């Protein structure tokens, strides 16, 4: 039975891992093809060793080898860790949410036996993803005749593997102790994003570089394995964290009353139970016929909103303060970086405060958070209700399928607007505290465009879920589209042959007009919002004409 749980879990999750890792590998192939056409030898040969280390560039290698650092140290690391987080959060809490954990325990298998099987599957599948990335890193340079001298492929793949395990087992520990899959995912994603920024920024600040060691991400990137090879000390630290998180989960799974089904009580439920607020909340929430589905949906994702809003607010406050601490010499140095290096940080000029904020907040972190929230909401809006077998309860009330789609979409709009406002307020407060001259209007425009881009990808997730009824397909197809979009926007402009294709990326509509310097691009904003509305409208017939899963 132990082997059956392991085999089934591995089989169910293997497709997502293979598709994601193959996608990153294909982006490595395309990235190398782009870098091969770029000559930055004048800049590259004169960069100080410290900067080469920071960018993950070998001291004597072909410049096309930068693609490994760009694709694997950033996109590959986030992709592999994101998959591990999803698996870890679902392992126990997901089975509880779906009401299937009792079926597993109906067999001669203990709770801890299930946990061990699920953990073994997480370990093996993460290794499978790392193996695919390793094969691509060996084969692609041969296809393209790229000199990879000085690139430590084995080291970076090993570091990727252990880095992903850290966040996957952190999600497993939190979700197992709380029975809350969303909380497990949210905490792990928060630690990952904050760690990425802390490990990237603090080493640039005199006197604060030692604090970078408190973040797990430091032990993945701090020794720069793509240049220096495997640092067994850092690997040992990450392995120790994995063991600790597993032990926490192992203890927690046997100590808690398991949930039969994740019905949960929301803030609205508790307010309606309070006599002093019952009357008001009854009016807001509507009747027992679920006439306010948008409010119900918003309340279901309140934990996700709180976690992501806290991430964006505190990062918005801290990053401008960090910029003020970075030495002027470093700012002068990065001002001379060639386009091929700037593309690795989202195309931002980090020598200016606007470019620094774009690189550290708006080019990577804000899109990840926005797309995470809207993609999850879009996937669970329709396909999630089918997956939980609650769609019949909703549609048994006097409500049409089209209205259900619209109300679910309104909840998504509310969350995107809320996150955009929090991002703006946090960053604006940070710039005021740091005494930086940044336009509040331009900050608001950039935050609004981030929210609109998040909505567009949320609409895509909604449409895929409406057409397939499969939340995993909706989530991962949207994540894949977002990764490709980021790649197209950041790296294709480096090649004269492919530069024109970058305009097709939603990221171009978001940052292509440089809103932090130029303000709102109303045409781009209208296109993003129009795409969201179009995807919602497409979702209506897709959902209305499909036989729902029972």
């Amino acid at each position: 039975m132990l082997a059956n749980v392991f085999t089934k879990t591995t089989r169910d999750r293997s497709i997502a891992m293979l598709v994601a890792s193959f996608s990153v590998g294909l982006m490595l192939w395309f990235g190398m093809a782009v870098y091969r056409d770029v000559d930055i030898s004048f800049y590259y040969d004169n960069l100080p060793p410290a900067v080469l280390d920071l960018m993950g560039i070998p001291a004597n290698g072909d410049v096309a080898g930068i693609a490994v650092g760009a694709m694997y140290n950033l996109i590959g690391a986030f992709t592999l860790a994101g998959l591990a987080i999803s698996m870890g959060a679902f392992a126990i809490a997901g089975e509880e949410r779906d009401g299937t954990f009792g079926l597993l325990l109906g067999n001669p298998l203990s709770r801890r036996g299930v946990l061990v099987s699920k953990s073994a599957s997480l370990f093996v599948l993460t290794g499978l993803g790392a193996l695919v990335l390793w094969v691509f890193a060996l084969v692609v340079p041969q296809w393209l005749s790229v000199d990879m001298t000085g690139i430590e492929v084995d080291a970076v793949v090993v570091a990727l593997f252990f880095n992903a395990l850290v966040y996957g087992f952190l999600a497993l520990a939190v979700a197992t102790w709380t029975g809350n899959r969303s909380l497990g995912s949210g905490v792990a994603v928060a630690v990952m994003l904050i760690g990425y920024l802390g490990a990237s920024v603090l080493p640039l600040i005199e006197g604060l570089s030692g604090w970078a060691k408190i973040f797990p991400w430091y032990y993945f990137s701090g020794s720069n394995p793509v240049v220096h090879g495997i640092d067994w000390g850092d690997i040992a630290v990450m392995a120790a964290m994995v063991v600790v998180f597993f032990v926490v989960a192992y203890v927690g799974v046997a100590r808690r009353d398991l949930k039969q089904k994740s019905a949960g009580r929301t803030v609205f439920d508790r307010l309606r139970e309070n006599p002093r607020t019952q009357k008001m909340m009854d009016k807001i929430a509507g009747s027992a016929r679920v006439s306010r589905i948008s409010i119900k949906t918003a309340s279901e994702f309140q934990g996700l909103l709180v976690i992501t809003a806290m991430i964006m607010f505190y990062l918005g406050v801290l990053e401008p303060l960090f910029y003020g601490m970075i030495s002027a010499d470093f700012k002068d140095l990065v001002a001379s970086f060639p386009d091929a290096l700037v593309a690795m940080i989202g195309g931002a000029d980090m020598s200016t405060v606007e470019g620094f904020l774009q690189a550290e907040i708006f080019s990577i972190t804000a899109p990840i958070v926005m797309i995470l929230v809207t993609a999850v909401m879009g996937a669970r809006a329709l396909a999630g209700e089918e997956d939980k077998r609650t769609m019949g309860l909703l549609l048994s009330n006097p409500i049409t399928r089209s209205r259900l789609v619209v109300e679910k979409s309104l909840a998504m709009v509310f969350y995107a607007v809320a996150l955009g406002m929090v991002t703006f307020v946090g960053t604006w407060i940070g710039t005021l505290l740091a005494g930086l001259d940044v336009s509040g209007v331009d900050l608001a425009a950039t935050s609004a465009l981030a929210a609109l881009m998040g909505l567009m990808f949320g609409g895509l997730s909604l449409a895929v879920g409406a057409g397939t009824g499969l939340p995993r397909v909706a989530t991962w197809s949207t994540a894949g589209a977002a990764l490709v979009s980021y790649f197209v926007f950041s790296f294709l402009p480096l090649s004269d042959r492919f530069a024109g294709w970058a305009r097709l990326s939603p990221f171009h509509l978001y940052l292509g007009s440089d809103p932090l310097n130029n303000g709102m691009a109303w045409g781009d904003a209208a296109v993003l919002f129009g795409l969201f509305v179009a995807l919602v409208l497409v979702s209506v017939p897709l959902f209305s004409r499909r036989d729902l899963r029972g």
Side-chain angles (χ1 to χ4, degrees), residues 317-375:
V317 172
L318 291 174
E319 291 300 333
L321 298 176
F322 287 154
Y323 177 80
M325 300 177 187
I326 297 175
S327 67
D329 291 340
F330 181 82
K331 295 174 186 176
D332 293 339
L333 179 63
V334 297
S336 65
F337 279 7
D339 291 341
L341 297 186
V342 172
M344 294 175 64
I345 51 176
D349 178 8
M350 291 184 67
S351 64
T352 67
V353 60
E354 292 84 2
F356 181 84
L357 293 178
Q358 177 176 320
E360 296 298 327
I361 298 177
F362 291 103
S363 66
I364 298 174
T365 308
I368 287 177
V369 170
M370 293 285 184
I371 294 171
L372 169 68
V373 172
T374 56

Side-chain angles (χ1 to χ4, degrees), residues 46-380:
N46 291 281
L47 287 176
V51 175
L52 294 177
D53 279 357
L54 178 67
M55 306 304 292
I57 305 173
N60 58 349
D62 191 297
V63 71
I66 298 172
V68 173
M71 298 303 157
Y72 281 14
N73 282 350
L74 185 63
I75 295 176
F78 279 130
T79 301
L80 202 61
L83 285 163
I85 288 171
S86 175
M87 289 186 288
F90 184 86
I92 301 298
E95 298 283 1
E96 293 182 70
R97 185 207 67 182
D98 292 345
T100 55
F101 203 86
L103 296 176
L104 290 179
L105 296 180
N107 296 280
L109 187 64
S110 68
R111 293 184 183 188
R112 286 174 171 169
V114 174
L115 179 70
V116 170
S117 280
K118 295 278 190 174
S119 300
S121 178
L122 169 58
F123 187 91
V124 168
L125 286 171
T126 305
L128 176 64
L131 177 63
V132 171
L133 295 180
W134 177 71
V135 170
F136 269 95
L138 292 180
V139 173
V140 168
Q142 298 296 322
W143 288 345
L144 299 177
S145 300
V146 171
D147 179 14
M148 293 292 287
T149 302
I151 295 291
E152 300 286 348
V153 172
D154 297 347
V156 72
V157 171
V158 169
L160 274 171
F161 170 65
F162 279 96
N163 181 65
L165 287 180
V166 167
Y167 299 106
F169 276 87
L170 173 59
L172 174 69
V174 175
T176 299
W177 265 92
T178 63
N180 190 325
R181 178 189 179 190
S182 297
L183 182 61
S185 299
V187 170
V189 169
V191 172
M192 179 176 68
L193 290 177
I194 293 172
Y196 161 73
L197 293 173
S200 301
V201 175
L202 291 181
L204 307 178
I205 303 173
E206 186 176 355
L208 295 181
S209 58
W211 287 96
K213 295 181 180 180
I214 69 174
F215 301 108
W217 195 275
Y218 171 83
Y219 299 96
F220 161 61
S221 64
S223 63
N224 200 356
V226 71
V227 175
H228 298 135
I230 296 176
D231 185 317
W232 290 110
D234 287 352
I235 297 298
V237 172
M238 289 190 286
M241 285 190 278
V242 171
V243 172
V244 169
F245 294 145
F246 172 76
V247 170
V248 170
Y250 191 81
V251 172
V253 74
R255 295 174 62 89
R256 180 173 55 81
D257 290 339
L258 301 182
K259 299 177 180 179
Q260 295 299 316
K261 189 83 171 173
S262 62
R265 289 170 65 253
T266 68
V267 169
F268 288 94
D269 295 327
R270 291 190 286 270
L271 289 174
R272 294 183 75 179
E273 292 171 2
N274 189 321
R276 289 175 294 182
T277 55
Q278 180 181 10
K279 186 175 181 180
M280 178 183 67
M281 296 311 300
D282 283 343
K283 291 181 179 179
I284 293 175
S287 70
R289 294 194 306 268
V290 198
S291 60
R292 295 293 183 271
I293 288 178
S294 57
I295 294 176
K296 173 185 176 295
T297 302
S299 69
E300 290 172 347
F301 293 94
Q302 58 197 359
L304 183 62
L305 177 63
V306 169
I307 292 172
T308 53
M310 289 176 63
I311 292 173
M312 295 313 303
F313 179 80
Y314 286 114
L315 288 180
V317 172
L318 291 174
E319 291 300 333
L321 298 176
F322 287 154
Y323 177 80
M325 300 177 187
I326 297 175
S327 67
D329 291 340
F330 181 82
K331 295 174 186 176
D332 293 339
L333 179 63
V334 297
S336 65
F337 279 7
D339 291 341
L341 297 186
V342 172
M344 294 175 64
I345 51 176
D349 178 8
M350 291 184 67
S351 64
T352 67
V353 60
E354 292 84 2
F356 181 84
L357 293 178
Q358 177 176 320
E360 296 298 327
I361 298 177
F362 291 103
S363 66
I364 298 174
T365 308
I368 287 177
V369 170
M370 293 285 184
I371 294 171
L372 169 68
V373 172
T374 56
V376 168
M377 292 187 72
R380 296 186 188 176

Side-chain angles (χ1 to χ4, degrees), residues 24-44:
V24 174
L26 290 174
M27 280 190 274
L28 173 68
W29 173 79
F30 202 75
M32 279 194 175
V34 170
Y35 273 116
R36 188 178 56 174
D37 296 334
V38 178
D39 181 14
I40 62 169
S41 57
F42 173 77
Y43 300 94
Y44 171 76

